[in-house]
């Protein structure tokens, strides 16, 4: 039985919920790397271009100029702007350095704007807007409340740049306990897998894209 407290990120927790075995093989044991698709490569390139434009005014490439109006609108928002802002918390929900050995959870916000007691969190998305997952904004908000103690209210959004759509959420400091409670069940499952060293497969139609080729459910596409 493990007595180690799990360290996590939103993407890692989501990978675990999709398939504990894949999470263990890729994230924990690092026996396999993630298969980088064209969509993932494109997303990385767009994120880099938007970050460079927002942080250093490096001009956008011609094929990304269609994103300029929305980026300029964000740049005009009042407040202190933080790009690709790294945050981490201890198991006691206290702010700590991203690279601290004491971190419990950490994440990187594409954009945070802090204007006195109000903050904005923006996450750039390059894929489809059909199935948005705003819960990652909730985790970013929880970390923002700890790293910026004067902030009382947060307006957050997933910006689907290719579709020019914005999925928004709002969070209040008074709701912090309830916001953390939303993660308790999933984190309990993850901690339980670590404690028992139990990482069951979760077969789905996506098994053909999984990098864990030794798995009994893996299928070649």
């Amino acid at each position: 039985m493990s007595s180690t407290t799990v360290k996590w990120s939103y993407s890692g927790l989501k990978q675990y919920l999709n398939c504990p075995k894949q999470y263990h093989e890729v994230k924990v044991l690092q026996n396999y790397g993630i298969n980088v698709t064209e969509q993932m490569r494109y997303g990385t390139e767009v994120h880099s271009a938007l970050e460079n434009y927002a942080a250093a005014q490096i001009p956008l490439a011609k094929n990304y100029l269609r994103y300029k109006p929305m980026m300029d609108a964000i740049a005009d928002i009042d407040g202190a702007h933080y790009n690709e802002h790294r945050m981490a918390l201890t198991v006691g929900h206290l702010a700590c350095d991203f690279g601290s050995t004491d971190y419990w959870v950490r994440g990187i916000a594409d954009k945070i704007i802090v204007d006195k007691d109000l903050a904005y969190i923006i996450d750039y998305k390059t894929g489809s807007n059909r199935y948005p997952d705003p819960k990652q904004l909730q985790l970013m908000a929880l970390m923002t409340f700890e790293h910026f103690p004067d902030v009382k209210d947060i307006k957050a959004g997933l910006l689907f740049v290719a579709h020019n759509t914005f999925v928004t959420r709002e969070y209040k400091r008074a709701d912090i306990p309830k916001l953390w409670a939303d993660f308790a069940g999933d984190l309990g499952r993850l901690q339980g897998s670590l404690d028992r060293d139990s990482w069951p497969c979760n077969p789905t139609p996506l098994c053909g894209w999984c990098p864990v080729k030794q798995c009994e459910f893996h299928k070649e596409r």
Side-chain angles (χ1 to χ4, degrees):
M1 296 284 287
S2 170
S3 60
T4 303
T5 300
V6 69
K7 293 180 182 289
W8 64 290
S9 66
Y10 185 77
S11 62
L13 180 61
K14 189 172 180 179
Q15 184 183 26
Y16 168 80
L17 295 174
N18 287 337
C19 181
K21 184 175 180 65
Q22 184 192 88
Y23 170 89
H24 187 239
E25 292 285 346
V26 174
K27 203 86 170 176
V28 179
L29 301 180
Q30 299 183 355
N31 287 334
Y32 301 89
I34 289 294
N35 298 325
V36 180
T37 64
E38 285 300 317
Q39 291 87 345
M40 292 168 65
R41 189 173 292 110
Y42 174 76
T44 299
E45 291 174 356
V46 172
H47 268 81
S48 180
L50 297 182
E51 178 193 357
N52 290 336
Y53 181 70
Q57 290 74 56
I58 296 175
L60 293 167
K62 185 177 181 180
N63 54 323
Y64 299 144
L65 283 176
R66 63 188 183 278
Y67 305 141
K68 187 176 184 299
M70 64 185 81
M71 295 301 294
D72 289 344
I74 292 170
D76 286 340
I77 297 174
D78 290 338
H81 288 237
Y82 303 86
N83 299 288
E84 291 291 306
H85 191 63
R86 296 170 176 247
M87 296 182 289
L89 302 178
T90 67
V91 71
H93 302 172
L94 299 177
C96 65
D97 290 338
F98 189 85
S100 171
T101 57
D102 293 331
Y103 94 89
W104 171 62
V105 60
R106 62 186 182 184
I108 304 175
D110 289 338
K111 183 82 170 184
I112 296 178
I113 304 169
V114 178
D115 185 18
K116 298 172 183 171
D117 62 356
L118 173 65
Y120 302 88
I121 301 172
I122 301 168
D123 192 82
Y124 311 132
K125 296 296 182 185
T126 56
S128 169
N129 61 353
R130 287 186 63 189
Y131 304 106
D133 181 14
K135 195 169 182 179
Q136 68 182 104
L137 295 174
Q138 188 168 323
L139 180 59
M140 288 293 110
L142 285 164
M143 289 195 278
T144 298
F145 280 131
E146 299 304 326
H147 280 260
F148 298 91
D150 291 334
V151 169
K152 296 179 181 177
D153 298 283
I154 293 175
K155 295 182 178 181
L158 303 175
L159 177 58
F160 290 88
V161 294
H163 304 276
N164 196 21
T165 58
F166 208 41
V167 176
T168 61
R169 293 291 187 273
E170 295 190 11
Y171 306 100
K172 296 183 179 298
R173 181 172 286 277
D175 294 333
I176 286 177
K178 182 173 67 176
L179 297 176
W180 275 122
D182 285 345
F183 290 96
D186 293 338
L187 289 174
R189 287 177 57 192
L190 175 55
Q191 184 66 54
S193 282
L194 181 64
D195 291 342
R196 297 186 301 272
D197 194 24
S198 173
W199 310 95
C201 302
N202 180 34
T204 73
L206 298 178
C207 285
W209 282 263
C210 180
V212 186
K213 295 187 176 182
Q214 67 153 6
C215 177
E216 61 184 299
F217 296 104
H218 183 273
K219 307 182 193 70
E220 292 291 344
R221 298 190 300 279

